[in-house]
Amino acid sequence: MNAIRIRRKLDSETLYLPELKPLVGKTVDIVVQEAEPLSEGSPYESLFALAGTDVVDPDAYLRLRVASML
């Protein structure tokens, strides 16, 4: 059994979850549960704030690719 955990803030009744694409057409169980709020000053607070955000700099990635070809 594969398990995928997706943490998102719901802003609509309609969800778009591309992470589930490999499971399309399969029988799955879907459980939705409200997350407990993080305590103030949690060491993981800034990490959780980045969840679902694309933080890859494509220009930096390209520079690294070019440098590795030298």
Side-chain angles (χ1 to χ4, degrees):
M1 177 172 99
N2 294 329
I4 298 174
R5 181 175 181 163
I6 302 168
R7 181 179 285 264
R8 294 262 177 97
K9 179 179 180 182
L10 295 181
D11 54 8
S12 170
E13 294 176 11
T14 305
L15 300 177
Y16 174 68
L17 302 171
E19 299 91 341
L20 301 181
K21 193 175 241 183
L23 299 174
V24 171
K26 297 182 180 180
T27 302
V28 299
D29 290 323
I30 298 174
V31 177
V32 177
Q33 150 179 54
E34 186 175 3
E36 295 180 16
L38 293 174
S39 62
E40 289 272 330
S42 167
Y44 303 106
E45 190 172 334
S46 58
L47 180 64
F48 289 139
L50 289 174
T53 304
D54 185 9
V55 293
V56 175
D57 180 359
D59 294 328
Y61 179 74
L62 179 61
R63 288 191 302 272
L64 287 171
R65 292 282 306 207
V66 169
S68 69
M69 290 182 203
L70 300 178

